[in-house]
Amino acid sequence: MNMVEVLEEITPLSPEDCFLVIRRVKSGFHFPLHTHREFELNYVENAKGAMRIVGDSMEEIGDLDLVLIAGGTKHTYTNHNCLCDGIFEITIQFHASLFDSLIDKRHFHSIRDMFERASRGLVFSRQMVADIRDRLRALSNDNKPDSFQNVLRLIEILKILSLDKAARDLNTTDAPRSPRNNSDADRLDTILLYLRENYARRISLAEVARLVSMSEASLMRFLKRWTGKTFIDHLNEIRVAEAASCLTNSSDSVSEICYKCGFNNLSNFNRVFKRRKGCTPTEYRERYSRTRFVL
């Protein structure tokens, strides 16, 4: 299987900067799949038919698109079915620590919750995008990018976006909560790493419980407490994400991918995959067969 590489981008945002705004008019998308440490708010206009890739989500976009992505989440756009040559894009990047002293204050709670969801990629409703785009344009048009007024504009934009009840998570894999206790954090890391390294074979709850010296019941409660998901949820998420990658980046048959990714039969694979992706593995491959690219 040939895996797509992910570029680690070093952005021009310095530790002394609050945020960075990039405004572009272009004829297509050419930047590879990448990650960076900073949060990114990305607005795209007049690119109907392009493909947005965030984590394990791949969706064809309409004429307006706005997403918030947390640092470390892989993302890009590809041309796909986009025939437009006047694509307009505004990219805003800011440090995760920018609001550290404010994020737990009452007025910032909705922004804090939005930031937590951004680890999965968050796409905003079309109505919200239509309502907020003039503010995004004003921010990107300012000829004094270092002005304090622009910091206030950014906070206002984020506050408005955080109130979008129709905003939708993109990536099916949640970022786990971080335990405050170092022992719990180490134990959680051990469990998740073990699942990622062994997903291709049969793994039992008892096996993992022994690994971290817990009873099966305690392990279930532990995972539910820190991640909100069950043992099977975690395992299926990893397997489906790997299967999705295989379907789009290899010529292996659906049956071969099913067993390579740890599923014990094809019907179960189809059922679990459709529940998480909204389509069968075959439909997923056909839908995104034109989105492959070489980095």
Side-chain angles (χ1 to χ4, degrees):
M1 179 183 67
N2 297 319
M3 298 299 293
V4 172
E5 296 180 32
V6 181
L7 173 70
E8 179 70 31
E9 181 190 5
I10 306 299
T11 72
L13 192 65
S14 78
E16 296 181 354
D17 295 325
C18 284
F19 66 97
L20 171 73
V21 181
I22 303 171
R23 176 187 174 107
R24 315 177 189 87
V25 176
K26 56 189 184 182
S27 58
F29 296 97
H30 308 289
F31 202 73
L33 190 67
H34 63 285
T35 65
H36 44 70
R37 296 180 179 180
E38 297 76 16
F39 273 84
E40 179 172 298
L41 183 64
N42 205 69
Y43 168 77
V44 179
E45 180 180 308
N46 195 32
K48 184 177 181 180
M51 184 68 67
R52 179 202 335 101
I53 302 174
V54 178
D56 65 5
S57 167
M58 292 188 283
E59 294 183 349
E60 184 174 306
I61 68 171
D63 58 333
L64 294 176
D65 194 64
L66 181 64
V67 291
L68 178 66
I69 302 164
T73 303
K74 62 183 181 180
H75 59 283
T76 195
Y77 286 83
T78 67
N79 293 322
H80 190 49
N81 292 322
C82 180
L83 302 176
C84 307
D85 61 2
I87 299 169
F88 179 65
E89 184 176 33
I90 298 173
T91 301
I92 302 171
Q93 295 175 338
F94 55 93
H95 298 295
S97 60
L98 181 59
F99 301 104
D100 274 0
S101 63
L102 297 171
I103 204 67
D104 288 323
K105 305 300 182 185
R106 176 166 50 88
H107 298 89
F108 282 77
H109 282 182
S110 62
I111 295 178
R112 179 194 62 194
D113 294 343
M114 179 176 69
F115 284 176
E116 290 177 355
R117 294 177 66 187
S119 63
R120 302 185 293 274
L122 188 63
V123 62
F124 296 96
S125 66
R126 195 185 190 287
Q127 183 59 55
M128 175 57 74
V129 180
D131 291 344
I132 204 74
R133 61 178 171 178
D134 286 345
R135 288 183 169 87
L136 292 171
R137 285 178 175 271
L139 186 64
S140 68
N141 277 333
D142 198 303
N143 58 8
K144 296 179 180 178
D146 293 332
S147 72
F148 180 72
Q149 184 61 39
N150 269 344
V151 177
L152 299 180
R153 284 176 175 170
L154 176 61
I155 293 173
E156 181 183 34
I157 287 170
L158 293 173
K159 179 64 177 180
I160 294 171
L161 291 176
S162 72
L163 302 177
D164 185 6
K165 300 299 184 184
R168 177 170 53 87
D169 296 348
L170 290 174
N171 191 353
T172 60
T173 304
D174 294 336
R177 294 168 56 196
S178 298
R180 297 178 183 272
N181 181 288
N182 287 337
S183 177
D184 282 352
D186 290 344
R187 181 172 281 170
L188 181 60
D189 287 345
T190 297
I191 294 168
L192 297 182
L193 179 61
Y194 190 80
L195 293 182
R196 293 182 196 285
E197 290 180 342
N198 295 278
Y199 69 87
R201 64 174 181 82
R202 181 176 180 178
I203 309 175
S204 69
L205 179 64
E207 172 186 349
V208 179
R210 287 193 299 271
L211 175 70
V212 291
S213 302
M214 300 177 74
S215 68
E216 294 179 37
S218 295
L219 175 59
M220 288 293 288
R221 288 194 298 271
F222 179 83
L223 287 174
K224 196 70 175 177
R225 176 189 179 193
W226 289 122
T227 70
K229 292 177 287 189
T230 68
F231 173 78
I232 293 300
D233 288 338
H234 278 291
L235 200 51
N236 281 341
E237 278 188 354
I238 294 168
R239 287 170 170 168
V240 167
E242 182 63 23
S245 178
C246 292
L247 288 165
T248 55
N249 299 308
S250 81
S251 58
D252 294 341
S253 70
V254 171
S255 180
E256 288 173 326
I257 292 170
C258 163
Y259 293 105
K260 281 183 178 181
C261 293
F263 292 94
N264 55 10
N265 64 73
L266 194 56
S267 61
N268 182 50
F269 174 48
N270 284 325
R271 182 171 59 254
V272 173
F273 193 96
K274 186 172 184 178
R275 186 187 310 130
R276 294 187 174 276
K277 293 294 187 181
C279 61
T280 67
T282 299
E283 292 169 340
Y284 187 90
R285 169 171 272 172
E286 291 173 352
R287 182 179 302 176
Y288 300 121
S289 61
R290 288 177 290 176
T291 68
R292 298 179 190 172
F293 50 93
V294 179
L295 309 181

